[in-house]
PDB file of all heavy atoms in Angstrom:
ATOM      1  N   ARG W  12       4.516 -17.148  68.895  1.00  0.00           N
ATOM      2  CA  ARG W  12       4.754 -16.645  70.252  1.00  0.00           C
ATOM      3  C   ARG W  12       3.729 -17.168  71.268  1.00  0.00           C
ATOM      4  O   ARG W  12       4.005 -17.189  72.461  1.00  0.00           O
ATOM      5  CB  ARG W  12       4.805 -15.108  70.248  1.00  0.00           C
ATOM      6  CG  ARG W  12       6.122 -14.568  69.714  1.00  0.00           C
ATOM      7  CD  ARG W  12       7.273 -14.859  70.664  1.00  0.00           C
ATOM      8  NE  ARG W  12       8.615 -14.604  70.117  1.00  0.00           N
ATOM      9  CZ  ARG W  12       9.559 -15.523  69.971  1.00  0.00           C
ATOM     10  NH1 ARG W  12       9.339 -16.796  70.288  1.00  0.00           N
ATOM     11  NH2 ARG W  12      10.761 -15.206  69.525  1.00  0.00           N
ATOM     12  N   GLN W  13       2.584 -17.603  70.769  1.00  0.00           N
ATOM     13  CA  GLN W  13       1.629 -18.251  71.682  1.00  0.00           C
ATOM     14  C   GLN W  13       2.121 -19.632  72.102  1.00  0.00           C
ATOM     15  O   GLN W  13       1.694 -20.176  73.111  1.00  0.00           O
ATOM     16  CB  GLN W  13       0.254 -18.383  71.018  1.00  0.00           C
ATOM     17  CG  GLN W  13      -0.541 -17.091  71.036  1.00  0.00           C
ATOM     18  CD  GLN W  13      -1.694 -17.101  70.057  1.00  0.00           C
ATOM     19  OE1 GLN W  13      -2.042 -18.141  69.493  1.00  0.00           O
ATOM     20  NE2 GLN W  13      -2.282 -15.947  69.829  1.00  0.00           N
ATOM     21  N   ARG W  14       3.012 -20.205  71.265  1.00  0.00           N
ATOM     22  CA  ARG W  14       3.513 -21.554  71.536  1.00  0.00           C
ATOM     23  C   ARG W  14       4.837 -21.548  72.294  1.00  0.00           C
ATOM     24  O   ARG W  14       5.105 -22.425  73.097  1.00  0.00           O
ATOM     25  CB  ARG W  14       3.707 -22.304  70.209  1.00  0.00           C
ATOM     26  CG  ARG W  14       2.454 -22.509  69.394  1.00  0.00           C
ATOM     27  CD  ARG W  14       1.810 -23.838  69.695  1.00  0.00           C
ATOM     28  NE  ARG W  14       2.655 -24.964  69.337  1.00  0.00           N
ATOM     29  CZ  ARG W  14       2.651 -25.565  68.150  1.00  0.00           C
ATOM     30  NH1 ARG W  14       1.826 -25.151  67.208  1.00  0.00           N
ATOM     31  NH2 ARG W  14       3.446 -26.581  67.909  1.00  0.00           N
ATOM     32  N   THR W  15       5.708 -20.586  71.953  1.00  0.00           N
ATOM     33  CA  THR W  15       7.043 -20.591  72.553  1.00  0.00           C
ATOM     34  C   THR W  15       7.626 -19.180  72.602  1.00  0.00           C
ATOM     35  O   THR W  15       7.360 -18.375  71.708  1.00  0.00           O
ATOM     36  CB  THR W  15       8.010 -21.521  71.772  1.00  0.00           C
ATOM     37  OG1 THR W  15       9.309 -21.444  72.365  1.00  0.00           O
ATOM     38  CG2 THR W  15       8.115 -21.143  70.303  1.00  0.00           C
ATOM     39  N   ASP W  16       8.447 -18.917  73.631  1.00  0.00           N
ATOM     40  CA  ASP W  16       9.130 -17.615  73.677  1.00  0.00           C
ATOM     41  C   ASP W  16      10.606 -17.764  73.298  1.00  0.00           C
ATOM     42  O   ASP W  16      11.412 -16.873  73.537  1.00  0.00           O
ATOM     43  CB  ASP W  16       8.965 -16.948  75.048  1.00  0.00           C
ATOM     44  CG  ASP W  16       9.437 -17.845  76.177  1.00  0.00           C
ATOM     45  OD1 ASP W  16      10.030 -18.918  75.878  1.00  0.00           O
ATOM     46  OD2 ASP W  16       9.217 -17.497  77.353  1.00  0.00           O
ATOM     47  N   PHE W  17      10.913 -18.901  72.692  1.00  0.00           N
ATOM     48  CA  PHE W  17      12.288 -19.201  72.281  1.00  0.00           C
ATOM     49  C   PHE W  17      12.825 -18.149  71.290  1.00  0.00           C
ATOM     50  O   PHE W  17      12.150 -17.813  70.315  1.00  0.00           O
ATOM     51  CB  PHE W  17      12.322 -20.585  71.627  1.00  0.00           C
ATOM     52  CG  PHE W  17      13.698 -21.093  71.356  1.00  0.00           C
ATOM     53  CD1 PHE W  17      14.409 -21.766  72.336  1.00  0.00           C
ATOM     54  CD2 PHE W  17      14.286 -20.910  70.118  1.00  0.00           C
ATOM     55  CE1 PHE W  17      15.686 -22.245  72.091  1.00  0.00           C
ATOM     56  CE2 PHE W  17      15.572 -21.383  69.862  1.00  0.00           C
ATOM     57  CZ  PHE W  17      16.265 -22.052  70.847  1.00  0.00           C
ATOM     58  N   VAL W  18      14.027 -17.646  71.565  1.00  0.00           N
ATOM     59  CA  VAL W  18      14.637 -16.659  70.659  1.00  0.00           C
ATOM     60  C   VAL W  18      15.885 -17.259  70.010  1.00  0.00           C
ATOM     61  O   VAL W  18      16.884 -17.513  70.688  1.00  0.00           O
ATOM     62  CB  VAL W  18      15.005 -15.352  71.406  1.00  0.00           C
ATOM     63  CG1 VAL W  18      15.692 -14.368  70.459  1.00  0.00           C
ATOM     64  CG2 VAL W  18      13.758 -14.714  72.010  1.00  0.00           C
ATOM     65  N   PRO W  19      15.843 -17.500  68.698  1.00  0.00           N
ATOM     66  CA  PRO W  19      17.002 -18.082  68.005  1.00  0.00           C
ATOM     67  C   PRO W  19      18.057 -17.024  67.697  1.00  0.00           C
ATOM     68  O   PRO W  19      17.730 -15.858  67.513  1.00  0.00           O
ATOM     69  CB  PRO W  19      16.394 -18.607  66.696  1.00  0.00           C
ATOM     70  CG  PRO W  19      15.232 -17.692  66.443  1.00  0.00           C
ATOM     71  CD  PRO W  19      14.707 -17.269  67.787  1.00  0.00           C
ATOM     72  N   GLU W  20      19.320 -17.461  67.643  1.00  0.00           N
ATOM     73  CA  GLU W  20      20.393 -16.565  67.169  1.00  0.00           C
ATOM     74  C   GLU W  20      20.573 -16.737  65.674  1.00  0.00           C
ATOM     75  O   GLU W  20      20.822 -15.786  64.952  1.00  0.00           O
ATOM     76  CB  GLU W  20      21.729 -16.959  67.825  1.00  0.00           C
ATOM     77  CG  GLU W  20      21.919 -16.432  69.211  1.00  0.00           C
ATOM     78  CD  GLU W  20      23.243 -16.910  69.810  1.00  0.00           C
ATOM     79  OE1 GLU W  20      24.164 -17.320  69.075  1.00  0.00           O
ATOM     80  OE2 GLU W  20      23.332 -16.879  71.046  1.00  0.00           O
ATOM     81  N   THR W  21      20.495 -18.003  65.251  1.00  0.00           N
ATOM     82  CA  THR W  21      20.761 -18.324  63.853  1.00  0.00           C
ATOM     83  C   THR W  21      19.562 -19.038  63.256  1.00  0.00           C
ATOM     84  O   THR W  21      18.974 -19.912  63.899  1.00  0.00           O
ATOM     85  CB  THR W  21      22.016 -19.225  63.747  1.00  0.00           C
ATOM     86  OG1 THR W  21      23.124 -18.498  64.272  1.00  0.00           O
ATOM     87  CG2 THR W  21      22.311 -19.632  62.319  1.00  0.00           C
ATOM     88  N   ALA W  22      19.214 -18.642  62.030  1.00  0.00           N
ATOM     89  CA  ALA W  22      18.143 -19.317  61.300  1.00  0.00           C
ATOM     90  C   ALA W  22      18.786 -20.167  60.205  1.00  0.00           C
ATOM     91  O   ALA W  22      19.724 -19.735  59.550  1.00  0.00           O
ATOM     92  CB  ALA W  22      17.219 -18.281  60.668  1.00  0.00           C
ATOM     93  N   LEU W  23      18.291 -21.388  60.059  1.00  0.00           N
ATOM     94  CA  LEU W  23      18.831 -22.306  59.049  1.00  0.00           C
ATOM     95  C   LEU W  23      17.728 -22.722  58.108  1.00  0.00           C
ATOM     96  O   LEU W  23      16.647 -23.120  58.550  1.00  0.00           O
ATOM     97  CB  LEU W  23      19.322 -23.571  59.749  1.00  0.00           C
ATOM     98  CG  LEU W  23      20.712 -23.539  60.356  1.00  0.00           C
ATOM     99  CD1 LEU W  23      20.732 -24.327  61.644  1.00  0.00           C
ATOM    100  CD2 LEU W  23      21.674 -24.178  59.367  1.00  0.00           C
ATOM    101  N   VAL W  24      18.006 -22.654  56.818  1.00  0.00           N
ATOM    102  CA  VAL W  24      17.044 -23.158  55.835  1.00  0.00           C
ATOM    103  C   VAL W  24      17.654 -24.392  55.187  1.00  0.00           C
ATOM    104  O   VAL W  24      18.733 -24.313  54.588  1.00  0.00           O
ATOM    105  CB  VAL W  24      16.738 -22.105  54.745  1.00  0.00           C
ATOM    106  CG1 VAL W  24      15.705 -22.645  53.761  1.00  0.00           C
ATOM    107  CG2 VAL W  24      16.241 -20.811  55.377  1.00  0.00           C
ATOM    108  N   LEU W  25      16.989 -25.521  55.334  1.00  0.00           N
ATOM    109  CA  LEU W  25      17.532 -26.776  54.809  1.00  0.00           C
ATOM    110  C   LEU W  25      16.892 -27.111  53.468  1.00  0.00           C
ATOM    111  O   LEU W  25      15.673 -27.194  53.349  1.00  0.00           O
ATOM    112  CB  LEU W  25      17.290 -27.909  55.809  1.00  0.00           C
ATOM    113  CG  LEU W  25      17.903 -27.673  57.196  1.00  0.00           C
ATOM    114  CD1 LEU W  25      17.604 -28.841  58.118  1.00  0.00           C
ATOM    115  CD2 LEU W  25      19.410 -27.446  57.101  1.00  0.00           C
ATOM    116  N   GLY W  26      17.731 -27.321  52.476  1.00  0.00           N
ATOM    117  CA  GLY W  26      17.251 -27.594  51.120  1.00  0.00           C
ATOM    118  C   GLY W  26      16.816 -29.030  50.915  1.00  0.00           C
ATOM    119  O   GLY W  26      16.866 -29.841  51.835  1.00  0.00           O
ATOM    120  N   SER W  27      16.415 -29.332  49.692  1.00  0.00           N
ATOM    121  CA  SER W  27      15.922 -30.666  49.313  1.00  0.00           C
ATOM    122  C   SER W  27      16.872 -31.764  49.762  1.00  0.00           C
ATOM    123  O   SER W  27      18.046 -31.739  49.412  1.00  0.00           O
ATOM    124  CB  SER W  27      15.849 -30.820  47.785  1.00  0.00           C
ATOM    125  OG  SER W  27      15.056 -29.848  47.232  1.00  0.00           O
ATOM    126  N   GLY W  28      16.362 -32.709  50.509  1.00  0.00           N
ATOM    127  CA  GLY W  28      17.165 -33.866  50.898  1.00  0.00           C
ATOM    128  C   GLY W  28      18.162 -33.570  52.005  1.00  0.00           C
ATOM    129  O   GLY W  28      18.927 -34.434  52.398  1.00  0.00           O
ATOM    130  N   LEU W  29      18.150 -32.334  52.527  1.00  0.00           N
ATOM    131  CA  LEU W  29      19.158 -31.957  53.523  1.00  0.00           C
ATOM    132  C   LEU W  29      18.539 -31.739  54.905  1.00  0.00           C
ATOM    133  O   LEU W  29      19.158 -31.173  55.799  1.00  0.00           O
ATOM    134  CB  LEU W  29      19.878 -30.676  53.060  1.00  0.00           C
ATOM    135  CG  LEU W  29      20.565 -30.782  51.690  1.00  0.00           C
ATOM    136  CD1 LEU W  29      21.102 -29.441  51.232  1.00  0.00           C
ATOM    137  CD2 LEU W  29      21.684 -31.808  51.736  1.00  0.00           C
ATOM    138  N   GLY W  30      17.333 -32.234  55.078  1.00  0.00           N
ATOM    139  CA  GLY W  30      16.578 -31.975  56.302  1.00  0.00           C
ATOM    140  C   GLY W  30      17.051 -32.692  57.544  1.00  0.00           C
ATOM    141  O   GLY W  30      16.666 -32.341  58.657  1.00  0.00           O
ATOM    142  N   GLU W  31      17.936 -33.655  57.328  1.00  0.00           N
ATOM    143  CA  GLU W  31      18.422 -34.508  58.414  1.00  0.00           C
ATOM    144  C   GLU W  31      19.000 -33.742  59.610  1.00  0.00           C
ATOM    145  O   GLU W  31      18.867 -34.155  60.754  1.00  0.00           O
ATOM    146  CB  GLU W  31      19.528 -35.357  57.796  1.00  0.00           C
ATOM    147  CG  GLU W  31      19.983 -36.557  58.522  1.00  0.00           C
ATOM    148  CD  GLU W  31      21.034 -37.260  57.657  1.00  0.00           C
ATOM    149  OE1 GLU W  31      20.644 -37.984  56.734  1.00  0.00           O
ATOM    150  OE2 GLU W  31      22.224 -37.022  57.885  1.00  0.00           O
ATOM    151  N   LEU W  32      19.637 -32.622  59.289  1.00  0.00           N
ATOM    152  CA  LEU W  32      20.284 -31.816  60.327  1.00  0.00           C
ATOM    153  C   LEU W  32      19.301 -31.439  61.443  1.00  0.00           C
ATOM    154  O   LEU W  32      19.685 -31.326  62.607  1.00  0.00           O
ATOM    155  CB  LEU W  32      20.859 -30.544  59.693  1.00  0.00           C
ATOM    156  CG  LEU W  32      21.647 -29.650  60.627  1.00  0.00           C
ATOM    157  CD1 LEU W  32      23.067 -30.156  60.775  1.00  0.00           C
ATOM    158  CD2 LEU W  32      21.671 -28.227  60.114  1.00  0.00           C
ATOM    159  N   ALA W  33      18.038 -31.275  61.079  1.00  0.00           N
ATOM    160  CA  ALA W  33      17.031 -30.872  62.066  1.00  0.00           C
ATOM    161  C   ALA W  33      16.910 -31.912  63.182  1.00  0.00           C
ATOM    162  O   ALA W  33      16.531 -31.582  64.312  1.00  0.00           O
ATOM    163  CB  ALA W  33      15.685 -30.655  61.386  1.00  0.00           C
ATOM    164  N   ASP W  34      17.246 -33.173  62.871  1.00  0.00           N
ATOM    165  CA  ASP W  34      17.161 -34.221  63.893  1.00  0.00           C
ATOM    166  C   ASP W  34      18.203 -34.041  64.983  1.00  0.00           C
ATOM    167  O   ASP W  34      18.103 -34.654  66.053  1.00  0.00           O
ATOM    168  CB  ASP W  34      17.336 -35.607  63.251  1.00  0.00           C
ATOM    169  CG  ASP W  34      16.250 -35.878  62.211  1.00  0.00           C
ATOM    170  OD1 ASP W  34      15.165 -35.271  62.324  1.00  0.00           O
ATOM    171  OD2 ASP W  34      16.501 -36.670  61.283  1.00  0.00           O
ATOM    172  N   LEU W  35      19.223 -33.227  64.729  1.00  0.00           N
ATOM    173  CA  LEU W  35      20.270 -33.017  65.729  1.00  0.00           C
ATOM    174  C   LEU W  35      19.924 -31.876  66.679  1.00  0.00           C
ATOM    175  O   LEU W  35      20.642 -31.611  67.628  1.00  0.00           O
ATOM    176  CB  LEU W  35      21.597 -32.689  65.045  1.00  0.00           C
ATOM    177  CG  LEU W  35      22.147 -33.763  64.111  1.00  0.00           C
ATOM    178  CD1 LEU W  35      23.429 -33.285  63.460  1.00  0.00           C
ATOM    179  CD2 LEU W  35      22.385 -35.060  64.877  1.00  0.00           C
ATOM    180  N   VAL W  36      18.826 -31.214  66.390  1.00  0.00           N
ATOM    181  CA  VAL W  36      18.433 -30.083  67.233  1.00  0.00           C
ATOM    182  C   VAL W  36      17.665 -30.601  68.450  1.00  0.00           C
ATOM    183  O   VAL W  36      16.740 -31.397  68.322  1.00  0.00           O
ATOM    184  CB  VAL W  36      17.560 -29.088  66.428  1.00  0.00           C
ATOM    185  CG1 VAL W  36      17.025 -27.969  67.315  1.00  0.00           C
ATOM    186  CG2 VAL W  36      18.358 -28.514  65.260  1.00  0.00           C
ATOM    187  N   GLU W  37      18.107 -30.160  69.610  1.00  0.00           N
ATOM    188  CA  GLU W  37      17.379 -30.445  70.855  1.00  0.00           C
ATOM    189  C   GLU W  37      16.163 -29.513  70.859  1.00  0.00           C
ATOM    190  O   GLU W  37      16.306 -28.315  71.050  1.00  0.00           O
ATOM    191  CB  GLU W  37      18.315 -30.130  72.022  1.00  0.00           C
ATOM    192  CG  GLU W  37      17.803 -30.463  73.394  1.00  0.00           C
ATOM    193  CD  GLU W  37      17.624 -31.957  73.574  1.00  0.00           C
ATOM    194  OE1 GLU W  37      18.549 -32.727  73.237  1.00  0.00           O
ATOM    195  OE2 GLU W  37      16.524 -32.331  74.034  1.00  0.00           O
ATOM    196  N   PRO W  38      14.969 -30.041  70.601  1.00  0.00           N
ATOM    197  CA  PRO W  38      13.864 -29.123  70.295  1.00  0.00           C
ATOM    198  C   PRO W  38      13.253 -28.440  71.524  1.00  0.00           C
ATOM    199  O   PRO W  38      13.086 -29.063  72.570  1.00  0.00           O
ATOM    200  CB  PRO W  38      12.824 -30.029  69.628  1.00  0.00           C
ATOM    201  CG  PRO W  38      13.145 -31.410  70.080  1.00  0.00           C
ATOM    202  CD  PRO W  38      14.573 -31.463  70.531  1.00  0.00           C
ATOM    203  N   ALA W  39      12.964 -27.174  71.361  1.00  0.00           N
ATOM    204  CA  ALA W  39      12.174 -26.445  72.358  1.00  0.00           C
ATOM    205  C   ALA W  39      10.727 -26.380  71.869  1.00  0.00           C
ATOM    206  O   ALA W  39       9.790 -26.388  72.654  1.00  0.00           O
ATOM    207  CB  ALA W  39      12.736 -25.040  72.548  1.00  0.00           C
ATOM    208  N   ALA W  40      10.565 -26.338  70.542  1.00  0.00           N
ATOM    209  CA  ALA W  40       9.230 -26.334  69.930  1.00  0.00           C
ATOM    210  C   ALA W  40       9.348 -26.776  68.477  1.00  0.00           C
ATOM    211  O   ALA W  40      10.328 -26.470  67.803  1.00  0.00           O
ATOM    212  CB  ALA W  40       8.624 -24.930  69.998  1.00  0.00           C
ATOM    213  N   VAL W  41       8.353 -27.541  68.027  1.00  0.00           N
ATOM    214  CA  VAL W  41       8.287 -27.934  66.615  1.00  0.00           C
ATOM    215  C   VAL W  41       6.941 -27.458  66.090  1.00  0.00           C
ATOM    216  O   VAL W  41       5.901 -27.757  66.675  1.00  0.00           O
ATOM    217  CB  VAL W  41       8.402 -29.462  66.453  1.00  0.00           C
ATOM    218  CG1 VAL W  41       8.242 -29.860  64.987  1.00  0.00           C
ATOM    219  CG2 VAL W  41       9.731 -29.961  66.992  1.00  0.00           C
ATOM    220  N   ILE W  42       6.970 -26.689  65.016  1.00  0.00           N
ATOM    221  CA  ILE W  42       5.733 -26.117  64.486  1.00  0.00           C
ATOM    222  C   ILE W  42       5.606 -26.455  63.005  1.00  0.00           C
ATOM    223  O   ILE W  42       6.449 -26.061  62.195  1.00  0.00           O
ATOM    224  CB  ILE W  42       5.694 -24.585  64.709  1.00  0.00           C
ATOM    225  CG1 ILE W  42       5.788 -24.298  66.216  1.00  0.00           C
ATOM    226  CG2 ILE W  42       4.437 -23.969  64.104  1.00  0.00           C
ATOM    227  CD1 ILE W  42       5.986 -22.846  66.573  1.00  0.00           C
ATOM    228  N   GLU W  43       4.595 -27.235  62.665  1.00  0.00           N
ATOM    229  CA  GLU W  43       4.327 -27.561  61.261  1.00  0.00           C
ATOM    230  C   GLU W  43       3.838 -26.282  60.572  1.00  0.00           C
ATOM    231  O   GLU W  43       3.041 -25.531  61.143  1.00  0.00           O
ATOM    232  CB  GLU W  43       3.233 -28.633  61.157  1.00  0.00           C
ATOM    233  CG  GLU W  43       3.545 -29.941  61.863  1.00  0.00           C
ATOM    234  CD  GLU W  43       4.572 -30.803  61.126  1.00  0.00           C
ATOM    235  OE1 GLU W  43       4.666 -30.692  59.883  1.00  0.00           O
ATOM    236  OE2 GLU W  43       5.278 -31.555  61.809  1.00  0.00           O
ATOM    237  N   TYR W  44       4.285 -26.070  59.326  1.00  0.00           N
ATOM    238  CA  TYR W  44       3.859 -24.868  58.603  1.00  0.00           C
ATOM    239  C   TYR W  44       2.325 -24.823  58.528  1.00  0.00           C
ATOM    240  O   TYR W  44       1.707 -23.765  58.634  1.00  0.00           O
ATOM    241  CB  TYR W  44       4.421 -24.831  57.180  1.00  0.00           C
ATOM    242  CG  TYR W  44       5.937 -24.817  57.098  1.00  0.00           C
ATOM    243  CD1 TYR W  44       6.576 -25.279  55.950  1.00  0.00           C
ATOM    244  CD2 TYR W  44       6.725 -24.344  58.136  1.00  0.00           C
ATOM    245  CE1 TYR W  44       7.965 -25.274  55.852  1.00  0.00           C
ATOM    246  CE2 TYR W  44       8.105 -24.347  58.050  1.00  0.00           C
ATOM    247  CZ  TYR W  44       8.718 -24.814  56.898  1.00  0.00           C
ATOM    248  OH  TYR W  44      10.091 -24.808  56.795  1.00  0.00           O
ATOM    249  N   GLY W  45       1.742 -25.999  58.343  1.00  0.00           N
ATOM    250  CA  GLY W  45       0.287 -26.076  58.195  1.00  0.00           C
ATOM    251  C   GLY W  45      -0.480 -25.614  59.431  1.00  0.00           C
ATOM    252  O   GLY W  45      -1.668 -25.309  59.352  1.00  0.00           O
ATOM    253  N   GLU W  46       0.193 -25.565  60.571  1.00  0.00           N
ATOM    254  CA  GLU W  46      -0.470 -25.127  61.802  1.00  0.00           C
ATOM    255  C   GLU W  46      -0.545 -23.605  61.879  1.00  0.00           C
ATOM    256  O   GLU W  46      -1.239 -23.060  62.732  1.00  0.00           O
ATOM    257  CB  GLU W  46       0.303 -25.609  63.032  1.00  0.00           C
ATOM    258  CG  GLU W  46       0.326 -27.110  63.217  1.00  0.00           C
ATOM    259  CD  GLU W  46       1.222 -27.476  64.392  1.00  0.00           C
ATOM    260  OE1 GLU W  46       0.920 -27.048  65.524  1.00  0.00           O
ATOM    261  OE2 GLU W  46       2.229 -28.158  64.168  1.00  0.00           O
ATOM    262  N   LEU W  47       0.243 -22.934  61.016  1.00  0.00           N
ATOM    263  CA  LEU W  47       0.276 -21.472  61.086  1.00  0.00           C
ATOM    264  C   LEU W  47      -0.663 -20.882  60.042  1.00  0.00           C
ATOM    265  O   LEU W  47      -0.428 -21.008  58.841  1.00  0.00           O
ATOM    266  CB  LEU W  47       1.703 -20.948  60.842  1.00  0.00           C
ATOM    267  CG  LEU W  47       2.754 -21.294  61.879  1.00  0.00           C
ATOM    268  CD1 LEU W  47       4.128 -20.821  61.402  1.00  0.00           C
ATOM    269  CD2 LEU W  47       2.422 -20.667  63.231  1.00  0.00           C
ATOM    270  N   ASN W  48      -1.690 -20.269  60.526  1.00  0.00           N
ATOM    271  CA  ASN W  48      -2.648 -19.573  59.676  1.00  0.00           C
ATOM    272  C   ASN W  48      -1.932 -18.503  58.861  1.00  0.00           C
ATOM    273  O   ASN W  48      -1.250 -17.657  59.429  1.00  0.00           O
ATOM    274  CB  ASN W  48      -3.656 -18.909  60.625  1.00  0.00           C
ATOM    275  CG  ASN W  48      -5.016 -18.906  60.031  1.00  0.00           C
ATOM    276  OD1 ASN W  48      -5.163 -18.921  58.800  1.00  0.00           O
ATOM    277  ND2 ASN W  48      -6.008 -18.900  60.892  1.00  0.00           N
ATOM    278  N   GLY W  49      -2.059 -18.550  57.523  1.00  0.00           N
ATOM    279  CA  GLY W  49      -1.442 -17.506  56.701  1.00  0.00           C
ATOM    280  C   GLY W  49      -0.055 -17.856  56.209  1.00  0.00           C
ATOM    281  O   GLY W  49       0.568 -17.091  55.483  1.00  0.00           O
ATOM    282  N   PHE W  50       0.446 -19.043  56.584  1.00  0.00           N
ATOM    283  CA  PHE W  50       1.797 -19.436  56.185  1.00  0.00           C
ATOM    284  C   PHE W  50       1.749 -20.249  54.898  1.00  0.00           C
ATOM    285  O   PHE W  50       0.915 -21.138  54.757  1.00  0.00           O
ATOM    286  CB  PHE W  50       2.445 -20.261  57.303  1.00  0.00           C
ATOM    287  CG  PHE W  50       3.923 -20.449  57.142  1.00  0.00           C
ATOM    288  CD1 PHE W  50       4.820 -19.559  57.698  1.00  0.00           C
ATOM    289  CD2 PHE W  50       4.419 -21.531  56.415  1.00  0.00           C
ATOM    290  CE1 PHE W  50       6.186 -19.733  57.541  1.00  0.00           C
ATOM    291  CE2 PHE W  50       5.787 -21.706  56.257  1.00  0.00           C
ATOM    292  CZ  PHE W  50       6.674 -20.808  56.824  1.00  0.00           C
ATOM    293  N   PRO W  51       2.652 -19.974  53.927  1.00  0.00           N
ATOM    294  CA  PRO W  51       2.657 -20.761  52.679  1.00  0.00           C
ATOM    295  C   PRO W  51       3.186 -22.180  52.923  1.00  0.00           C
ATOM    296  O   PRO W  51       4.259 -22.336  53.492  1.00  0.00           O
ATOM    297  CB  PRO W  51       3.609 -19.978  51.771  1.00  0.00           C
ATOM    298  CG  PRO W  51       4.434 -19.143  52.672  1.00  0.00           C
ATOM    299  CD  PRO W  51       3.660 -18.908  53.931  1.00  0.00           C
TER     300      PRO W  51
END
Side-chain angles (χ1 to χ4, degrees):
R12 283 291 169 241
Q13 281 163 11
R14 298 267 297 270
T15 178
D16 55 8
F17 189 86
V18 178
E20 279 178 20
T21 299
L23 277 143
V24 182
L25 302 180
S27 303
L29 302 173
E31 196 177 279
L32 184 82
D34 300 335
L35 299 178
V36 175
E37 185 65 48
V41 176
I42 301 171
E43 301 285 332
Y44 299 156
E46 294 175 61
L47 294 174
N48 215 333
F50 193 91

